[in-house]
Amino acid sequence: MRNRFIYFVIFIFFIAFISCDKIEPPYKKKNTEQNNDTLKQRKILLEDFTGHKCVNCPGAANTIMELKQQFGERLVVISLHAGYFAEPDASGNYIYDFRTTTGTDIYNFFGVSAFGVPSGMINRKGYNTDYIFSYADWGTKINEIINISPDAHIEITNNYSNTNRNLNVNVKTEFLKSFTGTYKLCVYLTEDSIIKYQKNNSPALGIVPDIADYVHQHVLRCAVNSTWGDTLISGNTPTGFTIFKNYSIVLNNEWKEKNCTVVVFVYNTFNYEIVQAEEEKIIL
């Protein structure tokens, strides 16, 4: 009799347990398309003009680190070493040359020497009136535009071979609204965690006046498809128009692939404003 009672109790608990899975109407199917759309956010490109002999540049780098903590993956950063403070010395601690042809092209085209370093552009917005800002203003400028609905969506797929150091980059660009005009696609390569000397004037950020083991981040290494990129669309382009592009490059033996990132952005050739940016590590 006792065993029958135990079986009865177990049966009641079993019925109660499976009853928890009952789904009441109305029945709704998970909307995966909506979830994908949620991932299509506007991302912001910060172009940081810097130099290893610029004493104020560690302060700008510290601001970038704080902004990355605030905005996460929605902030894409390229550090361009260009101009006087990026020139290497003939001997001593500052013989390493971070400069690139692309970095110098951009520095000269946008007249950065008139503003000095550290300074930066936020999506190149405001060119040719108010477009280069001190690092104290970067957060404000990012907040002004980051929550605007995205105009385009970029997906990057990297395939890297350790054997020959060849990197294939596949880029999918989808335009999320209709466009008129000419827009170009740029594919750049950056490297993190490069340890070299850096001038510094802030005891709070490191040894003054020289930090021997300074960690340089987001350093522009090269443009995969030239400084000004390839034409993506021209004329009238409808909403939803999607383009696939493929690029290939052999990595310099000096670059550490595990620290390298592909940065892609789309800009309007009329005013150089960047409408979307994306980045993807070479090795995940």
Side-chain angles (χ1 to χ4, degrees), residues 46-271:
L46 164 58
E47 290 169 280
D48 161 42
F49 296 103
T50 187
H52 58 173
K53 295 191 293 185
C54 157
V55 296
N56 293 315
C57 287
N62 190 60
T63 295
I64 290 173
M65 185 175 63
E66 293 172 350
L67 293 172
K68 286 291 288 182
Q69 290 173 349
Q70 179 180 354
F71 297 109
E73 294 181 350
R74 298 188 67 187
L75 178 63
V76 179
V77 180
I78 300 174
S79 291
L80 304 100
H81 290 248
Y84 174 77
F85 291 106
E87 293 178 359
D89 293 337
S91 60
N93 296 327
Y94 294 92
I95 58 175
Y96 190 80
D97 194 352
F98 285 98
R99 296 175 301 172
T100 60
T101 300
T102 292
T104 301
D105 287 346
I106 295 172
Y107 180 91
N108 290 336
F109 180 84
F110 289 102
V112 179
S113 62
F115 300 88
V117 297
S119 59
M121 296 190 292
I122 309 297
N123 269 7
R124 300 179 181 174
K125 190 172 179 60
Y127 180 75
N128 170 29
T129 54
D130 187 21
Y131 62 100
I132 295 184
F133 305 100
S134 162
Y135 62 90
D137 298 324
W138 291 348
T140 300
K141 295 300 176 182
I142 293 169
N143 270 312
E144 288 177 355
I145 58 176
I146 196 167
N147 290 321
I148 300 173
S149 298
D151 298 320
H153 178 68
I154 300 171
E155 294 179 16
I156 305 168
T157 304
N158 296 322
N159 292 295
Y160 177 71
S161 169
N162 285 312
T163 305
N164 56 16
R165 296 181 63 78
N166 187 73
L167 171 66
N168 283 309
V169 182
N170 294 293
V171 182
K172 174 187 175 183
T173 306
E174 177 187 6
F175 291 91
L176 304 177
K177 70 174 191 178
S178 61
F179 276 81
T180 299
T182 300
Y183 289 78
K184 285 192 170 185
L185 178 82
C186 284
V187 181
Y188 290 0
L189 194 68
T190 63
E191 184 176 0
D192 287 329
S193 304
I194 305 172
I195 298 176
K196 297 289 182 184
Y197 267 88
Q198 172 68 51
K199 289 285 186 185
N200 174 48
N201 68 353
S202 173
L205 299 175
I207 297 173
V208 176
D210 301 288
I211 304 175
D213 55 353
Y214 187 82
V215 182
H216 295 266
Q217 304 280 39
H218 314 291
V219 176
L220 176 65
R221 283 307 198 181
C222 72
V224 177
N225 64 339
S226 81
T227 298
W228 304 110
D230 298 325
T231 298
L232 205 56
I233 57 172
S234 187
N236 297 320
T237 303
T239 301
F241 189 72
T242 301
I243 301 176
F244 296 86
K245 291 278 190 178
N246 179 263
Y247 301 94
S248 181
I249 184 175
V250 177
L251 265 59
N252 186 303
N253 287 330
E254 185 182 0
W255 306 342
K256 295 180 179 177
E257 60 271 28
K258 67 177 182 180
N259 297 331
C260 289
T261 298
V262 173
V263 174
V264 175
F265 60 92
V266 177
Y267 71 95
N268 185 339
T269 61
F270 176 73
N271 58 11

Side-chain angles (χ1 to χ4, degrees), residues 35-53:
N35 290 340
N36 289 336
D37 286 342
T38 302
L39 298 175
K40 295 175 181 176
Q41 298 176 314
R42 179 177 293 272
K43 297 192 177 183
I44 307 299
L45 181 67
L46 164 58
E47 290 169 280
D48 161 42
F49 296 103
T50 187
H52 58 173
K53 295 191 293 185

